[in-house]
Amino acid sequence: MDVSTPAGAPWLIVGLGNPGPEYAMNRHNVGFMVVDLLAGRIGGKFKRAGKAQVLEGRIGPVGPASRRVILAKPMSFMNLSGGPVNALRDFYKVPPANVVAVHDELDIDYGVLRLKLGGGDNGHNGLKSMTKAMGADYHRVRFGIGRPPGRMQVADFVLKDFSSSERKELDYFTDRAADSVECLVTEGLERAQSAYNS
């Protein structure tokens, strides 16, 4: 367990995205997709809590090695994610280092994962909002979506659905991202980085 993640404290795992069916398969919503996968593994249904959907449960092997987690999907739109996330963090008494943001990342090739603690927002509006609300010392699971082709604007690219060729591998990549979150929470950042940073 990393020194920065207090034993016994719950984890808040936040999928970043935009609410509403019209955004569901957008590249910008891959954080929601990964958190939905984790919810399926835990069992149970998301419930509304303030400006977020939340699901409480445990990750990891049965017994003392399992970790209490709160899965969350802010319902405030991407650029306002910080307020709902910080409210949940306060309510559940989660230290910043036990917050994990799962999000799309333009500067990484499609499907590639990078896990890290802290850092900048790299122009990502969800991270920008979270950092403004609670500081930068939280974990990130960065899911590569690659750069837009040709002259396509970044905003148009992230708000488009994954392409048909990308969708062929999307289930595999999101499943691997969910695995990486479980590894991070149960075994620590270094172990998760060595297993999943590709």
Side-chain angles (χ1 to χ4, degrees), residues 7-8 30-31 61 71 79 89 95 100 111 115 133 189:
V30 74
L71 304 180
N79 61 345
R89 194 182 70 76
V100 183
L115 286 78
L189 179 61

Side-chain angles (χ1 to χ4, degrees), residues 94-161:
V94 179
N98 278 32
V99 176
V100 183
V102 186
H103 64 92
D104 57 304
E105 179 61 63
L106 286 160
D107 287 336
I108 303 174
D109 289 340
Y110 174 60
V112 173
L113 296 175
R114 293 274 192 279
L115 286 78
K116 69 173 189 171
L117 174 63
D121 57 59
N122 205 23
H124 192 287
N125 287 331
L127 297 181
K128 197 177 291 184
S129 180
M130 281 183 62
T131 297
K132 185 178 178 187
M134 53 177 268
D137 295 331
Y138 54 92
H139 286 88
R140 298 101 190 278
V141 174
R142 304 156 72 204
F143 185 107
I145 60 170
R147 280 269 161 194
R151 295 169 181 255
M152 185 187 289
Q153 294 295 312
V154 165
D156 294 333
F157 179 69
V158 299
L159 292 175
K160 278 199 174 358
D161 289 358

